[in-house]
Amino acid sequence: MATILLLHGPNLNLLGQREPHIYGSATLDDYVAATVAAAAPHGHEIEAFQSNHEGALVDAIHAARGRSAAIIINPGAFTHYAWSIHDALSAFAG
């Protein structure tokens, strides 16, 4: 069974509560559960982590090296300016 790291960036812990007219009513737990359900038939295990702190996400990426087969990330606002996350992902070799 391969482990896939599922990362979520800032404010995604508020999904389902924050501006539901824009982001919908599904919560972060709902998205994690859907990912777990999609991965299980393929023999994959999901390890989910959310943080509002860029460094915590970088640390999670570094810790995944050598033990996770892949990383799926929704970096939220970090999509636009988090070069440290970009660099950490570049160093991940699954």
Coordinates of all heavy atoms in Angstrom, one line a residue:
M1 N 0.8 -1.2 0.0 CA 0.0 0.0 0.0 C 0.9 1.2 0.0 O 1.8 1.4 0.8 CB -0.9 0.0 1.2 CG -1.8 1.2 1.3 SD -3.0 1.2 2.7 CE -4.0 -0.2 2.4
A2 N 0.7 2.1 -0.9 CA 1.4 3.4 -1.0 C 0.7 4.5 -0.2 O -0.5 4.6 -0.3 CB 1.6 3.8 -2.5
T3 N 1.5 5.3 0.4 CA 1.0 6.4 1.2 C 1.1 7.7 0.3 O 2.1 7.9 -0.4 CB 1.8 6.7 2.5 OG1 1.6 5.6 3.3 CG2 1.3 7.9 3.2
I4 N 0.0 8.4 0.2 CA -0.1 9.7 -0.5 C -0.3 10.8 0.5 O -1.3 10.7 1.3 CB -1.2 9.7 -1.6 CG1 -0.9 8.6 -2.6 CG2 -1.3 11.0 -2.3 CD1 -2.0 8.4 -3.6
L5 N 0.5 11.8 0.5 CA 0.4 12.9 1.4 C -0.6 13.9 0.7 O -0.4 14.3 -0.4 CB 1.7 13.6 1.7 CG 1.7 14.8 2.6 CD1 1.2 14.4 4.0 CD2 3.1 15.4 2.7
L6 N -1.6 14.3 1.4 CA -2.6 15.2 1.0 C -2.5 16.5 1.8 O -2.8 16.5 3.0 CB -4.0 14.6 1.1 CG -5.2 15.5 0.7 CD1 -5.2 15.8 -0.8 CD2 -6.5 14.7 1.1
L7 N -2.0 17.6 1.2 CA -1.7 18.8 1.9 C -2.8 19.9 1.5 O -3.2 20.0 0.4 CB -0.3 19.3 1.5 CG 0.8 18.5 2.0 CD1 2.1 19.1 1.5 CD2 0.9 18.4 3.5
H8 N -3.1 20.7 2.5 CA -4.0 21.8 2.4 C -3.4 23.0 3.0 O -3.0 23.0 4.2 CB -5.4 21.5 3.0 CG -6.0 20.2 2.5 ND1 -6.7 20.2 1.4 CD2 -6.0 19.0 3.0 CE1 -7.1 18.9 1.2 NE2 -6.7 18.2 2.2
G9 N -3.5 24.1 2.3 CA -2.9 25.4 2.8 C -3.8 26.2 3.6 O -4.9 25.8 4.1
P10 N -3.5 27.5 3.7 CA -4.2 28.4 4.7 C -5.7 28.6 4.3 O -6.1 28.7 3.2 CB -3.4 29.7 4.5 CG -2.7 29.6 3.2 CD -2.4 28.2 3.0
N11 N -6.4 28.7 5.4 CA -7.8 29.0 5.4 C -8.7 27.8 4.9 O -9.9 27.9 5.0 CB -8.2 30.3 4.7 CG -7.5 31.4 5.3 OD1 -7.5 31.6 6.5 ND2 -6.8 32.2 4.4
L12 N -8.1 26.7 4.4 CA -8.9 25.6 3.9 C -9.6 24.9 5.1 O -10.5 24.1 4.8 CB -8.1 24.7 3.0 CG -7.6 25.4 1.8 CD1 -6.7 24.5 0.9 CD2 -8.8 25.9 0.9
N13 N -9.1 25.1 6.3 CA -9.8 24.5 7.4 C -11.1 25.1 7.6 O -12.0 24.6 8.4 CB -8.9 24.7 8.7 CG -8.5 26.1 9.0 OD1 -8.0 26.8 8.1 ND2 -8.8 26.6 10.2
L14 N -11.4 26.3 7.0 CA -12.7 26.9 7.1 C -13.7 26.6 6.0 O -14.8 27.2 5.9 CB -12.5 28.5 7.1 CG -11.6 29.0 8.3 CD1 -11.4 30.5 8.2 CD2 -12.3 28.6 9.6
L15 N -13.3 25.7 5.1 CA -14.2 25.3 4.1 C -15.6 24.8 4.7 O -15.6 24.1 5.7 CB -13.6 24.1 3.2 CG -12.5 24.5 2.3 CD1 -11.9 23.3 1.7 CD2 -13.1 25.4 1.2
G16 N -16.6 25.2 4.0 CA -18.0 24.9 4.5 C -18.5 25.9 5.5 O -19.7 26.0 5.7
Q17 N -17.6 26.8 6.0 CA -18.1 27.9 6.9 C -17.8 29.2 6.2 O -18.6 30.2 6.4 CB -17.3 27.8 8.2 CG -17.4 26.6 8.9 CD -16.3 26.5 10.1 OE1 -15.9 27.5 10.6 NE2 -15.9 25.3 10.4
R18 N -16.7 29.4 5.6 CA -16.2 30.6 5.0 C -16.8 30.8 3.6 O -16.6 30.1 2.7 CB -14.7 30.7 4.9 CG -14.2 31.9 4.3 CD -12.6 31.8 4.3 NE -12.2 32.7 3.3 CZ -11.3 32.4 2.3 NH1 -10.9 31.2 2.2 NH2 -11.0 33.3 1.4
E19 N -17.6 31.9 3.4 CA -18.2 32.2 2.1 C -18.8 31.0 1.4 O -18.3 30.7 0.3 CB -17.2 32.9 1.3 CG -16.7 34.2 1.9 CD -15.6 34.9 1.1 OE1 -14.5 34.5 1.2 OE2 -16.0 35.9 0.4
P20 N -19.7 30.3 2.0 CA -20.2 29.1 1.3 C -20.9 29.4 -0.1 O -20.9 28.5 -0.9 CB -21.2 28.5 2.3 CG -21.5 29.6 3.2 CD -20.4 30.5 3.2
H21 N -21.3 30.6 -0.3 CA -21.9 31.0 -1.6 C -20.8 31.0 -2.7 O -21.1 30.9 -3.9 CB -22.6 32.3 -1.5 CG -21.7 33.5 -1.1 ND1 -21.2 33.7 0.2 CD2 -21.1 34.4 -1.9 CE1 -20.4 34.7 0.2 NE2 -20.4 35.2 -1.0
I22 N -19.5 31.0 -2.3 CA -18.4 31.0 -3.2 C -17.8 29.6 -3.2 O -17.5 29.0 -4.3 CB -17.3 32.1 -2.9 CG1 -17.9 33.5 -3.1 CG2 -16.1 31.9 -3.7 CD1 -17.0 34.6 -2.6
Y23 N -17.4 29.1 -2.0 CA -16.7 27.9 -1.9 C -17.5 26.6 -1.6 O -17.0 25.5 -1.6 CB -15.6 28.0 -0.7 CG -14.7 29.2 -1.0 CD1 -14.8 30.3 -0.2 CD2 -13.7 29.1 -1.9 CE1 -13.9 31.4 -0.5 CE2 -12.8 30.1 -2.2 CZ -12.9 31.3 -1.4 OH -12.1 32.3 -1.7
G24 N -18.8 26.8 -1.5 CA -19.7 25.6 -1.2 C -19.8 25.2 0.2 O -19.2 25.9 1.1
S25 N -20.5 24.2 0.5 CA -20.8 23.8 1.9 C -20.0 22.6 2.3 O -20.0 22.2 3.5 CB -22.3 23.5 2.1 OG -22.7 22.4 1.2
A26 N -19.2 22.0 1.4 CA -18.4 20.9 1.7 C -17.2 21.3 2.7 O -16.7 22.4 2.4 CB -17.8 20.2 0.5
T27 N -16.9 20.5 3.7 CA -15.9 20.8 4.6 C -14.6 20.2 4.1 O -14.6 19.3 3.3 CB -16.2 20.3 6.0 OG1 -16.2 18.9 6.0 CG2 -17.5 20.9 6.5
L28 N -13.5 20.6 4.8 CA -12.2 20.0 4.5 C -12.3 18.5 4.8 O -11.8 17.7 4.0 CB -11.1 20.6 5.3 CG -9.7 20.1 5.1 CD1 -9.3 20.3 3.7 CD2 -8.7 20.8 6.0
D29 N -12.9 18.1 5.9 CA -13.1 16.7 6.2 C -13.8 15.9 5.1 O -13.5 14.8 4.8 CB -13.8 16.5 7.5 CG -13.0 16.8 8.7 OD1 -11.7 16.9 8.6 OD2 -13.5 17.1 9.8
D30 N -14.8 16.6 4.5 CA -15.5 16.0 3.3 C -14.6 15.7 2.2 O -14.6 14.6 1.6 CB -16.7 16.9 2.9 CG -17.8 17.1 3.9 OD1 -18.0 16.2 4.7 OD2 -18.5 18.1 3.8
Y31 N -13.7 16.6 1.9 CA -12.8 16.5 0.8 C -11.7 15.4 1.1 O -11.4 14.6 0.2 CB -12.1 17.8 0.4 CG -13.0 18.8 -0.3 CD1 -13.4 19.9 0.4 CD2 -13.4 18.5 -1.5 CE1 -14.2 20.8 -0.3 CE2 -14.3 19.4 -2.2 CZ -14.7 20.6 -1.5 OH -15.5 21.4 -2.2
V32 N -11.3 15.3 2.3 CA -10.4 14.3 2.7 C -11.0 12.9 2.6 O -10.4 12.0 2.1 CB -9.8 14.5 4.2 CG1 -9.0 13.3 4.7 CG2 -9.0 15.8 4.2
A33 N -12.3 12.8 3.1 CA -13.0 11.5 3.0 C -13.2 11.1 1.6 O -13.0 9.9 1.3 CB -14.3 11.7 3.7
A34 N -13.5 12.0 0.7 CA -13.6 11.7 -0.7 C -12.3 11.2 -1.3 O -12.3 10.3 -2.1 CB -14.2 12.9 -1.5
T35 N -11.2 11.8 -0.9 CA -9.9 11.4 -1.4 C -9.5 10.0 -0.9 O -9.0 9.2 -1.6 CB -8.8 12.4 -1.0 OG1 -9.3 13.7 -1.5 CG2 -7.5 12.1 -1.6
V36 N -9.8 9.8 0.4 CA -9.6 8.4 1.0 C -10.4 7.4 0.2 O -9.9 6.3 -0.1 CB -9.9 8.5 2.5 CG1 -9.9 7.0 3.0 CG2 -8.9 9.3 3.2
A37 N -11.6 7.7 0.0 CA -12.5 6.7 -0.7 C -12.0 6.5 -2.2 O -12.1 5.3 -2.7 CB -14.0 7.2 -0.7
A38 N -11.5 7.5 -2.8 CA -11.0 7.3 -4.2 C -9.7 6.6 -4.2 O -9.5 5.8 -5.2 CB -10.9 8.7 -4.9
A39 N -8.9 6.7 -3.2 CA -7.6 6.1 -3.2 C -7.6 4.6 -2.8 O -6.8 3.8 -3.3 CB -6.6 6.9 -2.3
A40 N -8.5 4.3 -1.9 CA -8.5 3.0 -1.3 C -8.7 1.8 -2.3 O -7.9 0.8 -2.2 CB -9.7 2.9 -0.3
P41 N -9.5 1.9 -3.3 CA -9.6 0.8 -4.3 C -8.3 0.6 -5.1 O -8.2 -0.5 -5.6 CB -10.8 1.2 -5.2 CG -11.5 2.2 -4.5 CD -10.6 2.9 -3.6
H42 N -7.5 1.5 -5.1 CA -6.2 1.4 -5.8 C -5.1 1.0 -4.9 O -3.9 1.0 -5.3 CB -5.9 2.7 -6.5 CG -7.0 3.2 -7.5 ND1 -7.2 2.6 -8.7 CD2 -8.0 4.1 -7.3 CE1 -8.2 3.1 -9.3 NE2 -8.7 4.0 -8.5
G43 N -5.4 0.7 -3.6 CA -4.4 0.3 -2.7 C -3.6 1.4 -2.1 O -2.5 1.2 -1.6
H44 N -4.1 2.6 -2.1 CA -3.3 3.8 -1.5 C -4.0 4.2 -0.2 O -5.2 4.2 -0.1 CB -3.3 4.9 -2.5 CG -2.7 4.6 -3.8 ND1 -1.4 4.0 -4.0 CD2 -3.2 4.6 -5.1 CE1 -1.2 3.8 -5.2 NE2 -2.2 4.2 -5.9
E45 N -3.1 4.7 0.6 CA -3.5 5.3 1.9 C -3.3 6.8 1.9 O -2.2 7.2 1.3 CB -2.7 4.6 3.0 CG -3.0 5.1 4.4 CD -2.1 4.4 5.4 OE1 -2.5 3.3 5.9 OE2 -1.0 5.0 5.7
I46 N -4.2 7.5 2.4 CA -4.1 9.0 2.4 C -3.7 9.5 3.8 O -4.3 9.1 4.8 CB -5.4 9.7 2.0 CG1 -5.8 9.3 0.6 CG2 -5.3 11.2 2.1 CD1 -4.8 9.7 -0.5
E47 N -2.7 10.3 3.8 CA -2.3 11.0 5.0 C -2.5 12.5 4.8 O -1.9 13.1 3.9 CB -0.8 10.8 5.3 CG -0.3 11.5 6.5 CD 1.2 11.4 6.7 OE1 1.8 10.3 6.4 OE2 1.8 12.4 7.2
A48 N -3.5 13.1 5.5 CA -3.9 14.5 5.3 C -3.3 15.4 6.3 O -3.2 15.0 7.5 CB -5.4 14.6 5.3
F49 N -3.0 16.6 5.9 CA -2.4 17.6 6.8 C -2.8 19.0 6.2 O -2.7 19.2 5.0 CB -0.9 17.5 6.8 CG -0.2 18.5 7.7 CD1 -0.3 18.4 9.0 CD2 0.5 19.6 7.1 CE1 0.3 19.4 9.8 CE2 1.1 20.5 7.9 CZ 1.0 20.4 9.2
Q50 N -3.3 19.9 7.1 CA -3.6 21.2 6.8 C -2.9 22.2 7.7 O -2.7 21.9 8.9 CB -5.1 21.5 6.9 CG -5.6 22.8 6.5 CD -5.4 24.0 7.5 OE1 -5.5 23.7 8.7 NE2 -5.2 25.2 7.0
S51 N -2.4 23.3 7.2 CA -1.7 24.3 8.0 C -1.9 25.7 7.4 O -2.0 25.8 6.2 CB -0.2 24.0 8.2 OG 0.3 25.0 9.0
N52 N -2.0 26.6 8.3 CA -2.1 28.0 7.8 C -0.7 28.6 7.8 O -0.5 29.8 7.5 CB -2.9 28.8 8.8 CG -4.4 28.4 8.8 OD1 -4.9 28.2 7.7 ND2 -5.0 28.3 9.9
H53 N 0.4 27.8 8.0 CA 1.7 28.2 8.1 C 2.6 27.6 7.0 O 2.7 26.4 7.0 CB 2.3 27.9 9.5 CG 1.4 28.5 10.6 ND1 1.5 29.8 11.0 CD2 0.5 27.9 11.4 CE1 0.6 30.0 11.9 NE2 0.0 28.9 12.2
E54 N 3.2 28.4 6.2 CA 4.0 27.9 5.1 C 5.1 27.0 5.6 O 5.3 25.9 5.0 CB 4.6 29.1 4.4 CG 5.4 28.8 3.2 CD 5.9 30.0 2.4 OE1 5.6 31.2 2.8 OE2 6.6 29.8 1.4
G55 N 5.8 27.3 6.6 CA 6.9 26.4 7.1 C 6.4 25.1 7.5 O 7.1 24.1 7.4
A56 N 5.2 25.0 8.1 CA 4.7 23.7 8.5 C 4.4 22.8 7.3 O 4.7 21.6 7.3 CB 3.4 23.9 9.3
L57 N 4.0 23.4 6.2 CA 3.8 22.6 5.0 C 5.1 22.2 4.4 O 5.2 21.1 3.9 CB 3.0 23.5 3.9 CG 1.5 23.8 4.4 CD1 0.9 24.8 3.5 CD2 0.7 22.5 4.4
V58 N 6.1 23.1 4.4 CA 7.5 22.7 3.9 C 8.0 21.5 4.8 O 8.5 20.5 4.2 CB 8.4 23.9 4.0 CG1 9.9 23.5 3.7 CG2 8.0 24.9 2.9
D59 N 7.8 21.6 6.1 CA 8.3 20.5 6.9 C 7.5 19.2 6.6 O 8.2 18.1 6.6 CB 8.0 20.8 8.4 CG 9.0 21.9 8.9 OD1 10.0 22.2 8.3 OD2 8.7 22.5 10.0
A60 N 6.3 19.3 6.3 CA 5.5 18.1 6.0 C 6.0 17.5 4.6 O 6.1 16.2 4.5 CB 4.0 18.4 5.9
I61 N 6.3 18.3 3.7 CA 6.9 17.9 2.4 C 8.2 17.2 2.6 O 8.5 16.1 2.1 CB 7.0 19.0 1.4 CG1 5.6 19.5 1.0 CG2 7.7 18.6 0.1 CD1 5.6 20.9 0.3
H62 N 9.1 17.8 3.4 CA 10.4 17.2 3.7 C 10.2 15.9 4.4 O 11.0 14.9 4.1 CB 11.2 18.2 4.6 CG 11.7 19.4 3.9 ND1 12.5 20.3 4.5 CD2 11.5 19.8 2.6 CE1 12.8 21.3 3.6 NE2 12.2 21.0 2.5
A63 N 9.3 15.8 5.3 CA 9.1 14.5 6.1 C 8.5 13.4 5.2 O 8.7 12.2 5.5 CB 8.2 14.8 7.3
A64 N 7.9 13.8 4.1 CA 7.3 12.8 3.2 C 8.4 12.1 2.3 O 8.1 11.1 1.7 CB 6.3 13.5 2.3
R65 N 9.6 12.7 2.2 CA 10.6 12.2 1.4 C 11.0 10.8 1.9 O 11.2 10.6 3.0 CB 11.8 13.1 1.3 CG 11.5 14.4 0.7 CD 12.7 15.3 0.7 NE 13.6 14.8 -0.4 CZ 14.9 15.0 -0.4 NH1 15.5 15.7 0.5 NH2 15.6 14.5 -1.4
G66 N 11.0 9.8 1.0 CA 11.4 8.5 1.3 C 10.3 7.6 2.0 O 10.5 6.5 2.3
R67 N 9.1 8.2 2.3 CA 8.0 7.4 2.9 C 6.7 7.6 2.2 O 5.8 6.8 2.4 CB 7.9 7.7 4.4 CG 7.5 9.1 4.7 CD 7.3 9.2 6.3 NE 6.6 10.5 6.6 CZ 5.3 10.7 6.5 NH1 4.5 9.7 6.1 NH2 4.8 11.8 6.7
S68 N 6.5 8.6 1.3 CA 5.3 8.8 0.6 C 5.6 8.6 -0.9 O 6.6 9.1 -1.4 CB 4.7 10.2 0.9 OG 4.3 10.4 2.2
A69 N 4.6 8.0 -1.6 CA 4.7 7.8 -3.0 C 4.4 9.0 -3.8 O 4.9 9.2 -4.9 CB 3.8 6.7 -3.4
A70 N 3.6 9.9 -3.3 CA 3.2 11.1 -4.0 C 2.7 12.1 -3.0 O 2.4 11.8 -1.9 CB 2.1 10.8 -5.0
I71 N 2.5 13.4 -3.5 CA 1.9 14.5 -2.7 C 0.9 15.1 -3.6 O 1.1 15.4 -4.8 CB 3.0 15.5 -2.4 CG1 4.1 14.9 -1.4 CG2 2.3 16.7 -1.7 CD1 5.2 15.8 -1.1
I72 N -0.3 15.3 -3.0 CA -1.3 16.1 -3.6 C -1.5 17.3 -2.8 O -1.6 17.2 -1.6 CB -2.7 15.3 -3.7 CG1 -2.6 14.0 -4.5 CG2 -3.8 16.2 -4.2 CD1 -3.8 13.1 -4.4
I73 N -1.4 18.5 -3.4 CA -1.5 19.7 -2.6 C -2.5 20.7 -3.2 O -2.6 20.9 -4.4 CB -0.1 20.4 -2.5 CG1 -0.1 21.6 -1.6 CG2 0.5 20.7 -3.8 CD1 1.2 22.2 -1.2
N74 N -3.3 21.3 -2.3 CA -4.1 22.5 -2.6 C -3.5 23.5 -1.7 O -3.8 23.6 -0.5 CB -5.5 22.2 -2.2 CG -6.4 23.5 -2.5 OD1 -5.8 24.5 -2.8 ND2 -7.7 23.4 -2.4
P75 N -2.6 24.3 -2.2 CA -1.8 25.3 -1.4 C -2.6 26.5 -1.0 O -2.2 27.4 -0.2 CB -0.6 25.7 -2.2 CG -1.1 25.4 -3.6 CD -2.0 24.3 -3.6
G76 N -3.9 26.6 -1.5 CA -4.7 27.8 -1.2 C -3.9 29.1 -1.6 O -3.4 29.1 -2.7
A77 N -3.9 30.1 -0.8 CA -3.3 31.3 -1.1 C -1.8 31.2 -1.4 O -1.2 32.0 -2.1 CB -3.5 32.3 0.0
F78 N -1.1 30.1 -0.9 CA 0.3 29.9 -1.2 C 0.5 29.6 -2.7 O 1.7 29.6 -3.1 CB 0.9 28.8 -0.3 CG 1.0 29.2 1.2 CD1 0.7 28.3 2.1 CD2 1.4 30.5 1.5 CE1 0.8 28.6 3.5 CE2 1.5 30.8 2.9 CZ 1.2 29.9 3.9
T79 N -0.5 29.4 -3.4 CA -0.3 29.2 -4.9 C 0.4 30.4 -5.5 O 1.2 30.2 -6.4 CB -1.7 29.1 -5.6 OG1 -2.3 27.9 -5.0 CG2 -1.6 28.9 -7.1
H80 N 0.2 31.6 -5.0 CA 0.7 32.8 -5.6 C 2.1 33.2 -5.2 O 2.7 34.0 -6.0 CB -0.3 33.9 -5.4 CG -1.7 33.5 -5.8 ND1 -2.1 33.3 -7.1 CD2 -2.8 33.3 -5.0 CE1 -3.4 33.0 -7.1 NE2 -3.8 32.9 -5.9
Y81 N 2.5 32.8 -4.0 CA 3.8 33.4 -3.6 C 4.7 32.6 -2.7 O 5.6 33.1 -2.1 CB 3.5 34.8 -2.8 CG 2.5 34.6 -1.7 CD1 3.0 34.2 -0.4 CD2 1.2 34.8 -1.8 CE1 2.2 34.0 0.7 CE2 0.3 34.6 -0.7 CZ 0.9 34.2 0.5 OH 0.0 34.1 1.6
A82 N 4.4 31.3 -2.6 CA 5.2 30.5 -1.6 C 6.3 29.7 -2.3 O 6.2 28.6 -2.6 CB 4.3 29.5 -0.9
W83 N 7.4 30.4 -2.6 CA 8.5 29.8 -3.3 C 9.1 28.7 -2.4 O 9.7 27.7 -3.0 CB 9.6 30.8 -3.7 CG 9.1 31.5 -4.9 CD1 8.6 32.8 -5.0 CD2 9.0 31.0 -6.3 NE1 8.2 33.1 -6.3 CE2 8.5 32.0 -7.1 CE3 9.3 29.8 -6.8 CZ2 8.2 31.8 -8.4 CZ3 9.1 29.6 -8.2 CH2 8.5 30.6 -9.0
S84 N 9.1 28.8 -1.1 CA 9.6 27.7 -0.3 C 8.9 26.4 -0.5 O 9.5 25.3 -0.5 CB 9.7 28.1 1.2 OG 8.3 28.3 1.7
I85 N 7.6 26.5 -0.7 CA 6.8 25.3 -1.0 C 7.2 24.7 -2.3 O 7.3 23.5 -2.5 CB 5.3 25.5 -0.8 CG1 4.9 25.8 0.6 CG2 4.5 24.4 -1.4 CD1 3.5 26.2 0.9
H86 N 7.3 25.6 -3.3 CA 7.7 25.2 -4.7 C 9.0 24.5 -4.6 O 9.2 23.4 -5.2 CB 7.8 26.5 -5.5 CG 8.4 26.2 -6.9 ND1 9.7 26.3 -7.1 CD2 7.8 25.9 -8.1 CE1 10.0 26.0 -8.4 NE2 8.8 25.8 -9.0
D87 N 10.0 25.1 -3.9 CA 11.3 24.4 -3.8 C 11.3 23.1 -3.1 O 11.9 22.1 -3.5 CB 12.3 25.4 -3.1 CG 12.7 26.6 -3.9 OD1 12.4 26.6 -5.1 OD2 13.2 27.5 -3.4
A88 N 10.5 23.0 -2.0 CA 10.4 21.7 -1.3 C 9.7 20.7 -2.2 O 10.2 19.5 -2.2 CB 9.5 21.9 0.0
L89 N 8.7 21.0 -2.9 CA 8.1 20.1 -3.9 C 9.1 19.6 -5.0 O 9.1 18.5 -5.4 CB 6.8 20.6 -4.5 CG 5.6 20.7 -3.5 CD1 4.5 21.6 -4.1 CD2 5.1 19.4 -3.1
S90 N 9.9 20.6 -5.4 CA 10.9 20.2 -6.4 C 11.9 19.2 -5.9 O 12.4 18.4 -6.7 CB 11.7 21.5 -6.9 OG 10.8 22.4 -7.5
A91 N 12.2 19.2 -4.6 CA 13.1 18.2 -4.0 C 12.5 16.9 -3.7 O 13.2 16.0 -3.3 CB 13.7 18.9 -2.8
F92 N 11.1 16.8 -3.8 CA 10.5 15.6 -3.5 C 10.6 14.6 -4.7 O 10.2 15.0 -5.8 CB 9.0 15.8 -3.2 CG 8.2 14.6 -2.9 CD1 8.3 13.9 -1.7 CD2 7.4 14.0 -3.9 CE1 7.6 12.8 -1.4 CE2 6.7 12.9 -3.7 CZ 6.7 12.2 -2.4
A93 N 11.0 13.4 -4.4 CA 11.2 12.4 -5.5 C 10.3 11.2 -5.4 O 10.5 10.2 -6.0 CB 12.6 12.0 -5.6
G94 N 9.3 11.3 -4.5 CA 8.3 10.2 -4.4 C 8.8 8.9 -4.4 O 9.1 7.9 -4.7

